[in-house]
Amino acid sequence: MIGEARARILGEIGPDVTLVAASKRQPDRRIEAILSAGQRVFGENRVQEAETRWGPRKASLTGLELRLIGPLQTNKAEAAVRLFDVIETLDRPKLLKALVAAVERTGVPPPDLLIQVNTGEEPQKAGVTVAELANLVALTREMWPGRLVGLMCIPPVEEPAGPHFALLRQLAEAHGLSQLSMGMSADYALAARLGATHVRVGSGLFGAREALPPATA
Ligand SMILES: *Cc1c(COP(=O)(O)O)cnc(C)c1O
């Protein structure tokens, strides 16, 4: 069933777009099913959940690519660079510095980076504003030449996504960035038409997520 959903989505987005399986809060049997279907690119929201899921599997899976798609705290920078190949949610200089320091300290290969842009200017949402983007692009390129590869966004739920995807593409082109991570279950096909290179699909691929774990004070 998951294999069929995956095949259908791959057909819709076409061969030039990468399907990132957003695996947060999905049970193990579904992870195993999608791995059997050949999926190797995964997006995770939380460092610890990702460590639990992928730590035991990572060494034995060839071609696995893990992408952090949730917000990152600086105190988890070291764990993040050890686990993730790509960090899509860079959004502040302090986090950039923590990531650089974590790579220097650990000696692990540096991750590729995307900057998350808060295209809807939502106060509660992570991401740089459009006005702040140029500064963070410049700082990232200066501190870490070659690591910055693209932009990511999560449009406001109550707005049509198209204009946000178009804006992200325009910003990426203006800054010479090739990766565009945009589109989720509700709008991945639209995102693919509007230039996404990566779509992040969770429930539309795996089925509904499990309940949130109880809050830890
Ligand atoms: C959960 C999540 C997704 C996938 O969401 P669905 O609507 O289940 O496809 C994509 N991107 C991010 C950043 C997410 O947190």
Side-chain angles (χ1 to χ4, degrees), residues 108-164:
V108 298
D112 283 342
L113 301 172
L114 282 73
I115 292 176
Q116 181 177 355
V117 184
N118 185 358
T119 56
E121 314 268 323
E122 295 172 279
Q124 80 288 1
K125 193 166 275 175
V128 289
T129 61
V130 171
E132 294 164 335
L133 176 63
N135 275 337
L136 189 57
V137 168
L139 184 67
T140 307
R141 285 181 164 153
E142 180 192 316
M143 287 192 69
W144 230 355
R147 299 330 306 167
L148 183 64
V149 298
L151 302 178
M152 174 270 210
C153 77
I154 309 171
V157 281
E158 68 284 0
E159 288 181 27
H164 294 273

Side-chain angles (χ1 to χ4, degrees), residues 22 24 45 69-70 152 154 183-186 200-204 209:
K24 63 170 179 270
N45 285 71
I69 61 174
M152 174 270 210
I154 309 171
M184 319 202 311
S185 291
R200 310 175 307 267
V201 186
S203 44
R209 285 182 275 280

Side-chain angles (χ1 to χ4, degrees), residues 25-43:
R25 286 161 33 216
Q26 292 291 349
D28 246 28
R29 63 189 153 75
R30 292 185 184 164
I31 303 296
E32 289 304 327
I34 203 165
L35 283 168
S36 300
Q39 182 69 28
R40 286 296 179 272
V41 184
F42 291 84

Side-chain angles (χ1 to χ4, degrees), residues 162-212:
H164 294 273
F165 296 159
L167 172 61
L168 197 72
R169 179 184 192 167
Q170 193 189 319
L171 292 168
E173 279 171 7
H175 289 287
L177 294 166
S178 59
Q179 280 194 28
L180 270 180
S181 172
M182 56 190 199
M184 319 202 311
S185 291
D187 48 28
Y188 63 82
L190 174 66
R193 282 200 299 280
L194 292 177
T197 62
H198 293 72
V199 295
R200 310 175 307 267
V201 186
S203 44
L205 183 58
F206 291 101
R209 285 182 275 280
E210 297 190 316
L212 265 176

